[in-house]
Amino acid sequence: MTNTFNLIPEPVSVTAQTGSFKITDSTPLIFGDDCQKAGAFAATVLNLKQDDASDNPAIALNLVDGDIPAEGYTLTVAPNGVTVEANDEGGLFHGIQTLRQLLPAGQVAERTADAKIPAVTIDDYPKFKWRAMHLDVCRHFFDVTFVKKYIDLLAFHKMNIFHWHLTEDQGWRMPIDAYPKLAEVSAWRESTPLPENRHEQDGKPYGGIYTKDEIREVVAYADSLGITVLPEIELPGHTIAVLAAYPELGCVGEGYKVRTEWGIEDDVFCAGNDQVFEFLEKVFDEVLDLFPSEYIHIGGDECPKVRWESCDKCQARIKAEGLENEEALQSWFISKVGNYLASKGRKIIGWDEILEGGLPAGAAVASWRGIEGGVEAASLGHKVVMSPVTHCYFDYYQSPDRENEPPAFWWPIPEEQRVPGGPEFWGLIPLERTYTFDPHDGVPEGFQNMVMGGQSNLWTEYVPTTSQAEYQTYPRGSAISEALWSPMPAKGGRDFDAFVGRLAHHLKRLEALGVNYRHPKEHLS
Ligand code: ACM
Ligand code: ZN
């Protein structure tokens, strides 16, 4: 077996060479004006200064015009120098992350002493271009310090999109100047379900909202690491926190409060009220101002239609637009928002429910209830991101031994539906399951080119603290990084045992980075 230096995600090609390169405080770091961001990042983690005047063996970052694939890189470590070459700055970032992993594990956060790195040639590029991790900051609120650490860890694993879930029934987290009551009312709830028993409340007010400066800081920080921030603003459902502040935007028009229970809320935006679209356009104007991302996530999941069915305004809209039913009204709603965002040069992505009633033109689909929505969207010529509950939900348990795990999402499987030896509850995604995630699985070959990649989702109903967020995310985050980056072995199927072997060392890196990962004791002593 080739020595891959315990790299995660595993590179496309690793060729060990003889000897090593020694990095000292006087090792020059050479990079040009065309890659200042990657250069600054390398200078920070390697603890080196930019310098091209020295004769010492150097570390050089080069943007080249070669045949290296997008985000790919070639890393050459030899006794007389190190070079990272890429066609784009993303590739340089990934090459630097690999170089970081070649350092002794204890120096991965920052090089603090002379360090020897093994001579090697690595050619590497990603299998998928959409490699995202999602974080729900609404069910529980996470401050900017933690969000930046979460982004650091994405970058460390060569992920490239941070999906920031900013609005929910239980709390709205982005201030909008045109609608100040979102910060005053929508960001706060009266009480929260107990993690160990969702049917009981803690009775304590809870909430929080970022400032626009904090959001700018996060977007700039992510950019300094080569990461795009994908904001998610939910519609038409998951919006009762908005209605609590602006009740005229709901079908009933009164009696709303920020939701204090988990689950799905019946009260959603009124699709028959033009003020709703005025609201959304103003919100998105401010969102687009802060987030340069090509895609904007508009949610679209879990929107009950009961209010629309008995609302005069919604029914009048159905009639006026010649729509068949409430599903078509949802499609019309999302198309209207999608057209607005398209007029501003952006694309929309939504959860797979946006297929109901017809997929709006140009929308990409994030398939979460399974892969079926993704397959259907791909067959209709739409771009797809796979994120099925079978592999990608990091709010689920990692072990069937629920008694010895912190509370997580689960649901008992009725006796009559259980299989002998199988799980007793829904909400179990062991490390191996995540590792075997393949966004192409089940997608007919002819449509696979529509699959942009995949992502993990961390919903935080059961995640009240940052340490719990890390516990749920790692090492499954390391596993998904490899599922999305590394090529499928030629024999087909990923080698979980080999991954676990590399993970044993990788956990030391996570430790050096101060990550509260779950030790996979089933696989490692
Ligand atoms: C989802 O998990 N409701 C997208
Ligand atoms: Zn209505």
Side-chain angles (χ1 to χ4, degrees):
M1 204 177 137
T2 46
N3 183 355
T4 58
F5 303 102
N6 301 308
L7 296 169
I8 292 180
E10 189 172 31
V12 173
S13 156
V14 177
T15 310
Q17 311 287 358
T18 45
S20 60
F21 179 86
K22 189 170 165 193
I23 311 184
T24 72
D25 288 348
S26 55
T27 300
L29 177 65
I30 302 173
F31 57 90
D33 289 343
D34 53 357
C35 57
Q36 289 287 327
K37 281 191 283 194
F41 172 63
T44 302
V45 290
L46 298 175
N47 196 12
L48 296 176
K49 291 194 181 61
Q50 184 179 12
D51 178 4
D52 54 10
S54 163
D55 292 334
N56 287 342
I59 297 177
L61 313 178
N62 294 326
L63 272 184
V64 296
D65 193 12
D67 57 2
I68 302 172
E71 290 189 79
Y73 65 92
T74 298
L75 169 65
T76 312
V77 179
N80 61 354
V82 174
T83 57
V84 186
E85 292 196 335
N87 272 0
D88 50 52
E89 204 162 7
L92 290 181
F93 275 112
H94 301 316
I96 296 161
Q97 296 291 3
T98 299
L99 189 56
R100 244 179 127 186
Q101 291 199 7
L102 292 172
L103 289 166
Q107 298 202 50
V108 115
E110 185 189 1
R111 189 191 62 80
T112 47
D114 290 358
K116 263 192 195 170
I117 38 178
V120 67
T121 308
I122 296 177
D123 287 305
D124 201 13
Y125 54 87
K127 182 168 167 67
F128 292 101
K129 74 171 188 184
W130 186 290
R131 304 181 308 282
M133 295 179 90
H134 150 291
L135 178 66
D136 167 10
V137 295
C138 303
R139 272 57 175 265
H140 286 98
F141 184 57
F142 296 95
D143 69 12
V144 164
T145 304
F146 178 72
V147 168
K148 286 164 121 180
K149 186 178 178 193
Y150 195 79
I151 290 171
D152 281 336
L153 290 167
L154 260 91
F156 189 59
H157 290 88
K158 301 186 174 73
M159 307 293 273
N160 60 359
I161 296 172
F162 169 54
H163 175 168
W164 207 359
H165 184 82
L166 286 164
T167 71
E168 259 305 337
D169 290 317
Q170 293 86 0
W172 177 287
R173 306 282 176 235
M174 173 175 169
I176 300 293
D177 299 338
Y179 293 93
K181 283 197 279 185
L182 292 172
E184 291 154 18
V185 176
S186 310
W188 309 92
R189 62 178 178 253
E190 287 173 0
S191 175
T192 300
L194 297 177
E196 61 277 16
N197 180 1
R198 61 187 148 218
H199 304 299
E200 277 185 29
Q201 295 280 323
D202 69 3
K204 297 179 197 154
Y206 184 95
I209 190 152
Y210 301 107
T211 65
K212 281 200 167 174
D213 278 345
E214 284 179 319
I215 291 174
R216 283 187 197 100
E217 183 184 335
V218 166
V219 171
Y221 185 74
D223 183 58
S224 77
L225 295 171
I227 304 263
T228 298
V229 182
L230 172 77
E232 180 179 358
I233 306 294
E234 281 263 22
L235 55 93
H238 287 284
T239 45
I240 198 171
V242 177
L243 307 186
Y246 298 99
E248 64 275 18
L249 303 182
C251 293
V252 178
E254 60 182 12
Y256 306 115
K257 63 175 201 169
V258 179
R259 191 172 163 93
T260 56
E261 290 172 355
W262 308 138
I264 299 174
E265 174 59 54
D266 282 341
D267 284 296
V268 303
F269 281 137
C270 175
N273 182 348
D274 289 336
Q275 281 179 289
V276 166
F277 299 98
E278 189 186 318
F279 171 86
L280 287 170
E281 290 183 8
K282 285 191 177 149
V283 166
F284 279 115
D285 285 346
E286 296 189 31
V287 168
L288 301 191
D289 222 29
L290 263 53
F291 295 95
S293 157
E294 174 189 16
Y295 279 96
I296 301 294
H297 205 303
I298 49 79
D301 58 321
E302 300 174 328
C303 179
K305 310 294 185 297
V306 288
R307 295 292 182 261
W308 293 359
E309 282 162 12
S310 57
C311 170
D312 290 344
K313 286 193 285 256
C314 285
Q315 292 304 314
R317 181 81 79 193
I318 287 177
K319 214 162 157 210
E321 297 293 333
L323 304 170
E324 201 170 323
N325 52 28
E326 286 74 19
E327 270 73 37
L329 182 59
Q330 171 171 302
S331 175
W332 174 87
F333 192 118
I334 290 167
S335 292
K336 193 163 165 62
V337 174
N339 289 341
Y340 184 72
L341 291 172
S343 78
K344 306 282 174 184
R346 309 295 183 100
K347 297 177 178 163
I348 60 167
I349 181 164
W351 302 109
D352 55 73
E353 287 93 330
I354 69 171
L355 278 151
E356 293 163 5
L359 199 49
V365 169
S367 194
W368 72 278
R369 293 178 294 178
I371 62 162
E372 296 75 14
V375 172
E376 186 185 342
S379 73
L380 294 168
H382 290 252
K383 293 275 189 0
V384 167
V385 172
M386 290 295 193
S387 189
V389 285
T390 48
H391 295 74
C392 300
Y393 270 52
F394 288 179
D395 53 331
Y396 289 16
Y397 278 92
Q398 301 174 71
S399 158
D401 183 15
R402 250 182 352 102
E403 305 304 310
N404 291 307
E405 292 288 318
F409 174 89
W410 73 287
W411 217 259
I413 302 178
E415 292 276 359
E416 63 278 11
Q417 291 181 28
R418 287 187 200 164
V419 284
E424 293 173 7
F425 61 93
W426 282 298
L428 174 64
I429 300 187
L431 180 63
E432 184 166 7
R433 181 97 60 74
T434 297
Y435 185 66
T436 58
F437 174 49
D438 177 2
H440 280 160
D441 247 357
V443 182
E445 220 169 286
F447 305 137
Q448 287 183 358
N449 63 338
M450 301 312 287
V451 178
M452 296 190 284
Q455 67 175 66
S456 62
N457 298 323
L458 185 62
W459 303 102
T460 57
E461 286 94 332
Y462 299 88
V463 184
T465 63
T466 56
S467 66
Q468 175 74 13
E470 292 183 355
Y471 183 90
Q472 295 300 125
T473 305
Y474 291 99
R476 288 185 293 195
S478 308
I480 203 168
S481 81
E482 192 151 306
L484 297 174
W485 178 280
S486 307
M488 193 59 84
K491 63 172 179 44
R494 294 198 183 272
D495 184 344
F496 180 64
D497 291 341
F499 170 72
V500 168
R502 279 179 285 118
L503 185 63
H505 181 79
H506 193 69
L507 294 179
K508 294 184 196 153
R509 298 182 184 125
L510 296 183
E511 208 162 300
L513 293 167
V515 181
N516 179 42
Y517 61 83
R518 177 183 183 276
H519 187 84
K521 44 188 178 284
E522 307 83 354
H523 309 294
L524 287 170
S525 54

